[in-house]
Amino acid sequence: MIICAQWKLIQEEYPGQYVVIATTNRKHLERFADAEIWQDIRF
């Protein structure tokens, strides 16, 4: 849950920016934050 707290702080620091957690298992994270499989993230 520490990563979700960090995500929230970064999201507040950069309003309007898309902030996502890169992971290999997003099931438990996506309930609390925007999380994507790291291979699926495109810029």
Side-chain angles (χ1 to χ4, degrees):
M1 300 318 328
I2 293 171
I3 191 82
C4 292
Q6 286 295 116
W7 170 83
K8 184 67 175 163
L9 290 173
I10 293 170
Q11 190 180 40
E12 290 173 0
E13 188 173 336
Y14 299 98
Q17 297 292 317
Y18 179 59
V19 180
V20 63
I21 298 172
T23 183
T24 57
N25 181 5
R26 68 180 197 192
K27 284 185 179 182
H28 67 286
L29 292 174
E30 67 185 355
R31 285 190 256 164
F32 308 104
D34 291 333
E36 293 291 338
I37 303 297
W38 68 270
Q39 294 104 333
D40 295 342
I41 297 174
R42 302 286 182 248
F43 292 97

